[in-house]
Amino acid sequence: MRLLLVEDHVPLADELLAGLTRQGYAVDWLADGRDAAHQGAIEPYDLIILDLGLPGKPGLEVLSEWRSGGLATPVLILTARGSWAERIEGLKAGADDYLTKPFHPEELQLRIQALLRRAHGVANQPQLEAAGLQLDESRQSVALDGAEITLTAAEFRLLRYFMLHAGQILSKSHLAEHLYDGETERDSNVIEVHVNHLRRKLGRDVIETRRGQGYRFAGAAQ
């Protein structure tokens, strides 16, 4: 999943980038509201983390621009402790959730997971399940018939995206756009390699190849 982090406090941004990368997310970071307003509207992000106190353009104004332009990407806003007015204004402007600074990294991780599941209609499950698989995001592993199967970081990122989009046809280029950040070279052949690795671990029927179209993950998310 590809995230946009908009935060101008560099130490906090560095900490968040490191943590989100460890959790298997591809993250782009911006520190200026004007840049965020533009990039957030044109890049295919799965979720945006938005600080409100930004240089260039305030976060609330950025969020309002996104929503008035039809952007439906889930947005989690970061606010200062005790700034209840900002939280209310952020929710009114179209934020999906908010987190008050300072916060525990695990709370951010769980809120991101909940927003992504809600966006794909699987909000009521403690774990992501599809096609007989149960994905453990904290351990970055998957259970099949009660047995835990270890995954590489790349396999975990790909499988999580497939399970959130179960039953959909996903092209290699689409997968590359959502699995790599803006600074990483995107090689669709690498996607094919990781798909083959997942098939060897989970069974060939789990991921179907649609010639000329891409891949389809079996089943439907639960």
Side-chain angles (χ1 to χ4, degrees):
M1 312 295 286
R2 187 176 171 200
L3 312 184
L4 174 62
L5 171 64
V6 190
E7 169 61 62
D8 68 317
H9 185 56
V10 176
L12 176 58
D14 286 341
E15 180 182 341
L16 293 177
L17 280 169
L20 292 168
T21 301
R22 284 194 301 270
Q23 293 156 25
Y25 298 107
V27 188
D28 293 331
W29 169 47
L30 294 174
D32 186 276
R34 291 165 299 190
D35 296 335
H38 174 70
Q39 187 160 319
I42 64 172
E43 291 291 330
Y45 293 110
D46 297 289
L47 182 139
I48 298 172
I49 302 169
L50 177 67
D51 184 33
L52 295 184
L54 296 171
K57 183 174 291 188
L60 280 175
E61 188 175 333
V62 173
L63 177 58
S64 295
E65 284 187 20
W66 284 338
R67 293 310 190 216
S68 64
L71 184 73
T73 304
V75 174
L76 170 66
I77 58 173
L78 304 178
T79 67
R81 179 179 294 277
S83 183
W84 59 267
E86 278 192 338
R87 296 199 294 272
I88 291 173
E89 290 304 311
L91 293 171
K92 285 182 177 179
D96 297 272
D97 199 359
Y98 68 86
L99 194 56
T100 302
K101 299 177 183 177
F103 51 83
H104 193 283
E106 186 175 2
E107 182 177 5
L108 175 63
Q109 177 183 357
L110 293 173
R111 286 179 181 270
I112 289 173
Q113 291 175 6
L115 284 174
L116 290 171
R117 291 176 191 174
R118 186 191 309 164
H120 295 90
V122 291
N124 297 325
Q125 293 294 330
Q127 282 190 325
L128 188 57
E129 301 182 12
L133 304 174
Q134 298 85 40
L135 190 69
D136 188 330
E137 295 187 62
S138 62
R139 294 169 58 88
Q140 297 194 9
S141 64
V142 64
L144 175 62
D145 297 328
E148 184 179 65
I149 299 170
T150 59
L151 302 169
T152 67
E155 290 165 359
F156 167 73
R157 291 195 300 269
L158 180 58
L159 182 59
R160 176 171 58 188
Y161 197 82
F162 271 135
M163 292 179 73
L164 281 170
H165 298 81
Q168 300 179 30
I169 298 174
L170 304 171
S171 68
K172 289 182 183 179
S173 61
H174 175 95
L175 290 169
E177 282 186 337
H178 287 267
L179 295 174
Y180 301 120
D181 59 46
E183 302 299 319
T184 303
E185 184 176 352
R186 300 168 186 176
D187 186 349
S188 61
N189 292 326
V190 174
I191 299 291
E192 185 175 352
V193 171
H194 295 317
V195 166
N196 288 332
H197 289 170
L198 286 174
R199 283 172 171 161
R200 282 199 292 270
K201 292 183 176 183
L202 307 176
R204 298 204 60 82
D205 293 338
V206 171
I207 304 171
E208 173 190 359
T209 297
R210 292 290 186 92
R211 191 171 299 278
Q213 295 178 298
Y215 301 105
R216 178 183 176 275
F217 187 79
Q222 301 173 2

